[in-house]
Amino acid sequence: MDWERERRTGVPEAVLCASKSGTQIQAILIAAASAGRRLLFTRLEPAAVEALAPECRALLDYDPISRTAWCGGPPPAGTVRDGVGIVAAGTSDLPVASEAARTLEFLGFSAPVIADVGVAGLWRLMRRLEEIRGFRVVIAVAGMEGALFSVLAGLVDAPVIAVPASVGYGVSAGGTAALHSALASCAPGLLTVNIDNGFGAAAAAVKMMGKIKD
Amino acid sequence: MDWERERRTGVPEAVLCASKSGTQIQAILIAAASAGRRLLFTRLEPAAVEALAPECRALLDYDPISRTAWCGGPPPAGTVRDGVGIVAAGTSDLPVASEAARTLEFLGFSAPVIADVGVAGLWRLMRRLEEIRGFRVVIAVAGMEGALFSVLAGLVDAPVIAVPASVGYGVSAGGTAALHSALASCAPGLLTVNIDNGFGAAAAAVKMMGKIKD
Amino acid sequence: MDWERERRTGVPEAVLCASKSGTQIQAILIAAASAGRRLLFTRLEPAAVEALAPECRALLDYDPISRTAWCGGPPPAGTVRDGVGIVAAGTSDLPVASEAARTLEFLGFSAPVIADVGVAGLWRLMRRLEEIRGFRVVIAVAGMEGALFSVLAGLVDAPVIAVPASVGYGVSAGGTAALHSALASCAPGLLTVNIDNGFGAAAAAVKMMGKIKD
Amino acid sequence: MDWERERRTGVPEAVLCASKSGTQIQAILIAAASAGRRLLFTRLEPAAVEALAPECRALLDYDPISRTAWCGGPPPAGTVRDGVGIVAAGTSDLPVASEAARTLEFLGFSAPVIADVGVAGLWRLMRRLEEIRGFRVVIAVAGMEGALFSVLAGLVDAPVIAVPASVGYGVSAGGTAALHSALASCAPGLLTVNIDNGFGAAAAAVKMMGKIKD
Amino acid sequence: MDWERERRTGVPEAVLCASKSGTQIQAILIAAASAGRRLLFTRLEPAAVEALAPECRALLDYDPISRTAWCGGPPPAGTVRDGVGIVAAGTSDLPVASEAARTLEFLGFSAPVIADVGVAGLWRLMRRLEEIRGFRVVIAVAGMEGALFSVLAGLVDAPVIAVPASVGYGVSAGGTAALHSALASCAPGLLTVNIDNGFGAAAAAVKMMGKIKD
Amino acid sequence: MDWERERRTGVPEAVLCASKSGTQIQAILIAAASAGRRLLFTRLEPAAVEALAPECRALLDYDPISRTAWCGGPPPAGTVRDGVGIVAAGTSDLPVASEAARTLEFLGFSAPVIADVGVAGLWRLMRRLEEIRGFRVVIAVAGMEGALFSVLAGLVDAPVIAVPASVGYGVSAGGTAALHSALASCAPGLLTVNIDNGFGAAAAAVKMMGKIKD
Amino acid sequence: MDWERERRTGVPEAVLCASKSGTQIQAILIAAASAGRRLLFTRLEPAAVEALAPECRALLDYDPISRTAWCGGPPPAGTVRDGVGIVAAGTSDLPVASEAARTLEFLGFSAPVIADVGVAGLWRLMRRLEEIRGFRVVIAVAGMEGALFSVLAGLVDAPVIAVPASVGYGVSAGGTAALHSALASCAPGLLTVNIDNGFGAAAAAVKMMGKIKD
Amino acid sequence: MDWERERRTGVPEAVLCASKSGTQIQAILIAAASAGRRLLFTRLEPAAVEALAPECRALLDYDPISRTAWCGGPPPAGTVRDGVGIVAAGTSDLPVASEAARTLEFLGFSAPVIADVGVAGLWRLMRRLEEIRGFRVVIAVAGMEGALFSVLAGLVDAPVIAVPASVGYGVSAGGTAALHSALASCAPGLLTVNIDNGFGAAAAAVKMMGKIKD
């Protein structure tokens, strides 16, 4: 692992498990635990957790919805900050929204998730608007056509980070339609990360919060 | 020309001038005028109008914004219906919205255009909502990310026909991002036509109105 | 659930099950049943139905071909309307056509399905043409090259809603070739929804029929 | 020039002028004329013809609609065969259809062009069907959604060669939608060449006719 | 089934099994057998054959490499013609080549398959060239970059039908690279069908042979 | 113009001139000047400026490299902040980098541009690293393969906003290769805007700086 | 097998197992063993090895990480050369890097693999730079955005062969983003092979080394 | 300019003029001339040369076919090496082939161009094969379907660098079909650069030759 990364970039390295073998994941986990270091794992499928040796599994705090895990325990008590909020268009977007929330939790931020506020029923978003306007950084998660991104960015003065979700079928299968909606938004200042990249959105929010003094 | 088409499909044939030569356009115009028939021309560039013989040009009612023209005069007095409305996200969408409005006018419908109600400033759309709710068929024109389509379809009970406009740059150049937003919309029942196809949206609205008795 | 949607848009919210977990689907079903509400579920795979608790499964009217289900019983007796027809190119298009038919049934419309009238054997379509011309709204389902859409739209005066089906291989795998045929049709006034979106076509037909008095 | 090609492949080499400089085209023309050989030039724009030296221009039989030219005179009298027919969906397809017709003429075949029989007005195609059924090889040219290819291939027993034309806008701009319709056709045995490749379709027809004795 | 098709188009309808359910396939088979008709099934996976009722399975002549089957027996003795040859670049192309060969066999043609003559070892193709030059119609099957199509079409005077195969990875996964090589070929007169469409190539060859008297 | 936008979103509306006519631009400019308001124009080509009436032209502060203009004068003296820096890979990226710099200037920020630090000569970037590390928000502009984004995001702890530039040819023509490099970056927390969207990157930086107290 | 290939091209034919059946693979292996020849197999999945007859399996030297095998033993002792090095961005790239290393080993080259030097932590690459500068040919393997290719090519004077890996998700799924980064690189002289084509990179390196005398 | 690049990478920086303004190009030229340095300019259009100040133009050795120029004179007499050869499929590929040849000349290599050896007339390539087999590095240029790359790589033992050319129309417009043919080649060890990148192929060849002692 690249233990110098946090000092240089403000965000520690995490382990993207999707294309790693069980043997590789286990070796990384043991190395981190031996070094007494905290480490985040993303895209860790339940089956991959099951395949770990029991003593390795016991080292992990695992959440199956977000498919994230960490070793080394929670952030030190008394250091957790707020200021970041997560907005999700629908129930299907919760795995991606949870990846962002869990990453933020690991990195010392408590971030509420406001779900089911997609624009097909605009009144639902409007009811939660004051709460959303209270955040300093907003992470928005939406699949299908991703219209939520533009609507939201036109309603708040905080920076909005769009996370397109691979939710949908036909032309929205894979998340490209939502990604292009974020990039082509008519609302100035909308920012984007890769499809399904809840981790990256959280890392960007942490970098922003690192420049904001409470 | 295929003069039987109106009887069979409810909409007469129109002349798409984009890939026709000046000689071809002029021949079609003369044939229609000789037969005493009304005929609509779309995608007729100002330069192509200039290139027509003056006596041909005099036969045409030409509008440079929508790039449409017709010969044979307006619909008969007293036959014009209303019930169709056109909503456009921004100033740049007006050429496409005008193509729809002019086609409707040629086919006997008076359709108002409500412009500059894009979702980056949602309050502008909200101010015009009651007016929009009064239409029986709504044509919506938007480029860039096309978020207007889903927001609008979630607010009215009339059928909404989305016309993606080739307005934008980067990933929205050519109009595909707006098209995919229309197709992948989270608002059920949204309908779509090809990019920039204001004529097609108007033709569909006329087909729907043909089934609605006043 | 967004129970206000029907009042505002003319079509109630439905549950797209494709990217929801079994736990999420079951919770929504129980909430609807507890509230005494009718609710439609789409893209509900047989395996997902099997995974429900038996008392939940018993609440559902499930159809495996269309992969749709509803709770809360059929529409009130005496309220079912007709006027919508569904035309399918081939046997492989029946799952999508059935999704449209079942959605229409849930929403109070009885819609016949006319199948196996693809244009490779044009005489088959011609034999059914008078019946098709009797509909006020036509939903057309076709995969592969989707030539049926243009042929049909050139033969009837009712609005035609094309539903491209993800039937085919090579360049038509995924349904994009059929979608582009619908969008680029030479027959004016053809309308399109997303690939495989039988539900959306039915919702649009219901919106149109809501403006047509019998 | 590759003068051996005709003997080996049944079709002589032609000069695709699109990406050649005026200097290169003129040198090839002079070489062919000096050798007393017949030679076909395709995609030769009127401006490129104008730029040739007058004595070179005089060597050419040029047709501006198809943008083809040849030197060396027509095929020998008494050798011209028929059996090949060309069907074009609309007026905009005539440049491509003419490229096929002119290539056939250069190669010794007289091929009629039947135009304006697109499927939006199916009755027009039906009126010409007996004539089309008389051809041994049919070349079909269509842009936009290319539905003509499948309809035609389902009505005749001769091999049909589809030539997708780059006619259309939005999703059909560039001709890909028509190409995919040809490739994904539900009518078995339809054959395809590249977009706008009237020359290639004619060459294929000549290869087929080379195997058919009168 | 569309039993009129053969009379009108020269090729009978076949059953594409890929997107049909077992119930649908079995019903079609029983209908054909009851009517005493010969019928071809393509893309019929071994597992689907296993799932048929034993008495249905017994009606079929099934070949697992080509995944084709037919009922109703072989073509009448004494009617089998030759003149069509199949050339395949490599071992991986044999399933597609076999689909063409089996379709030809069902339709009354005996077509040899010449395999492993890809252009990475050009000397292998050269050794078989005289044999290939004897065919009246050549079907060529290749995946990856599809260079075989152009090389072959430059060496024979018979029409060549390219069948791009979905063999390869990276940019050639799915067969599009080979398809584009066929369409963009520098060898005039090359014809193409959809990716993996051995059936379609055979149908086209039969249509050509129908115009050639022995 | 939507004068409420700044109050709600922290960034005022700007005029994207690319798809507007000269008449439309002039009308907007006169309206803003009459109202005594400051207004930013982007993608305003030199030819469009030339086409304005002289008295309109005189109202504008125009910069031809960034193709931006504003009316209403500079920000109030004494209010200009720093903290944002712009890094550009090469000379060809300067128009996009300048659009960001000019937008920031209009919005009250002084942002230096550090150019010609592309990764083909990594030592050039290293020499400027301490200066770059001093910014609170970094805007990075790169075309071609966009490798600068990942390298930079791995070296600084400030949030980095990638602006892919449409600089390059072949697979990088149009800027998609650079865009995908930004989205797929192995450096966590990298943020992206649309291709060539210097304005959007500046707007996002201003939103971030709005949450940072000096 | 094409046993002449090595003599003509400098690299022997290998067997790409991905689209071959178990029966085909086993037949090729037996033929090679009978002829006493060495032969390399790539993309041979563990399940396919398991499915071989035990006596066939015993003929193979199989490596599951690279999914390669060979029969006929190692290269003759005393003939192994060095000069080629392999650089991999991350752990997930090791299967592709290993395919290159194993191919080189089979062809008589010993090539070290330097892993985990991706540009998100540039200092890791810098620590290994002197070692990398000692190679005469460098093979670089990277997925996601592929920024390593340009950075590396800007730091060494040996030719660099980029192998894009299908590692990533969203826009980098399938490896196209990394491929485009390699092709569009701002570092002159970077060479590319197909996605995941470790074998091809090794073959190219061997061709280069064949022209370099020790 | 990055004058350190040649020492580190073996190839000096060149100036890609395509997206630079005339002012920028002239400034770079004057800086190089003042420093007494040799410098290569690529993609320099004749119109851009015309726009230079006469005294600047006089500093350049310009070639309009390859659109390259250099200042500072030819390589020192007596240092020019051979060993690199360029093979071009057709006349239309000569601009790209010339860019490679001129770059090689500037960098001290004399490279012959063997043209008009496309595979539609394979006998033409065969006649030049012995000459081609004499090169240590082969650069191959082809557009359309790019079949030349695989055929050539299967016939020589030197490394082959494919340069796909943006020559063709329809599916080969822009050069992607040729690029994919190079990447997906069935001939092992074929290497690729970006479309039209004759400069990059030459730079790679020079890097290879730098490792080969005469």
Side-chain angles (χ1 to χ4, degrees), chain H residues 1 3 6 11 18 23 30 33 36 40 47 51 60 63 69 92-93 105 109 118 125 130 170-171 193 202:
Chain H
M1 293 307 295
W3 302 118
E6 182 163 16
V11 182
T23 312
I30 290 169
L40 178 69
L60 288 178
D63 169 59
S92 303
D93 303 311
E105 184 181 348
F109 288 83
L125 177 62
E130 279 322 295
V171 299
V193 295

Side-chain angles (χ1 to χ4, degrees), chain F residues 91-92 94-95 120-121 123-124 127 144 167-172, chain H residues 2 4-5 8-9 13 16 19-20 24 43 179 194-197:
Chain F
T91 307
S92 304
L94 285 178
W123 44 90
R124 298 177 301 177
R127 282 186 203 127
M144 303 181 85
V167 169
Y169 57 90
V171 299
S172 57
Chain H
D2 177 15
E4 297 173 61
R5 191 174 296 179
R8 302 203 194 213
T9 71
E13 189 174 6
L16 176 69
S19 51
K20 292 192 177 63
Q24 291 174 328
R43 306 217 165 200
L179 171 64
N194 198 2
I195 296 161
D196 290 338
N197 193 3

Side-chain angles (χ1 to χ4, degrees), chain B:
Chain B
M1 293 306 295
D2 176 16
W3 302 117
E4 295 173 61
R5 192 175 294 181
E6 184 163 15
R7 186 174 54 79
R8 301 203 196 213
T9 72
V11 182
E13 191 175 6
V15 181
L16 176 69
C17 301
S19 50
K20 293 193 176 64
S21 68
T23 311
Q24 290 173 328
I25 294 168
Q26 190 155 312
I28 293 169
L29 172 56
I30 290 169
S34 305
R37 290 187 176 270
R38 301 179 66 234
L39 186 58
L40 178 69
F41 297 79
T42 62
R43 307 218 164 199
L44 182 59
E45 296 296 337
V49 175
E50 287 307 306
L52 293 173
E55 64 274 21
C56 285
R57 216 154 51 213
L59 296 168
L60 289 178
D61 174 334
Y62 180 66
D63 170 59
I65 292 176
S66 62
R67 296 171 302 155
T68 58
W70 61 66
C71 65
T79 67
V80 177
R81 297 175 67 192
D82 52 22
V84 183
I86 301 170
V87 177
T91 308
S92 304
D93 303 312
L94 286 178
V96 176
S98 300
E99 186 185 270
R102 284 269 295 178
T103 299
L104 283 162
E105 185 182 349
F106 176 77
L107 296 176
F109 289 82
S110 167
V113 176
I114 296 176
D116 278 317
V117 292
V119 300
L122 200 61
W123 44 89
R124 299 177 300 178
L125 176 63
M126 291 310 188
R127 281 188 203 126
R128 310 294 296 272
L129 194 53
E130 280 320 296
E131 184 180 357
I132 296 169
R133 280 190 172 137
F135 300 125
R136 299 181 188 189
V137 179
V138 177
I139 293 172
V141 184
M144 303 182 86
E145 93 288 44
L148 176 65
F149 303 138
S150 292
V151 170
L152 196 58
L155 292 171
V156 304
D157 70 352
V160 177
I161 303 170
V163 191
S166 60
V167 169
Y169 57 90
V171 300
S172 57
T176 305
L179 171 65
H180 287 182
S181 278
L183 288 165
S185 175
C186 57
L190 184 63
L191 296 159
T192 314
V193 295
N194 198 2
I195 296 162
D196 291 337
N197 193 4
F199 165 74
V206 168
K207 284 188 148 199
M208 289 183 204
M209 292 299 293
K211 299 295 176 186
I212 299 175
K213 307 299 165 222
D214 279 323

Side-chain angles (χ1 to χ4, degrees), chain A residues 91-92 123 127 169-171, chain C residues 2 4 8 19 24 194-195 197:
Chain A
T91 308
S92 304
W123 43 90
R127 284 188 201 124
Y169 57 90
V171 299
Chain C
D2 177 16
E4 297 174 60
R8 300 202 195 215
S19 50
Q24 290 173 328
N194 198 2
I195 296 161
N197 193 3

Side-chain angles (χ1 to χ4, degrees), chain C residues 55-100:
Chain C
E55 64 274 21
C56 285
R57 216 154 51 213
L59 297 168
L60 289 177
D61 174 334
Y62 180 65
D63 170 59
I65 292 176
S66 62
R67 296 173 302 156
T68 57
W70 61 65
C71 65
T79 66
V80 176
R81 298 175 66 191
D82 50 23
V84 183
I86 301 170
V87 177
T91 308
S92 304
D93 302 312
L94 285 179
V96 177
S98 299
E99 187 184 90

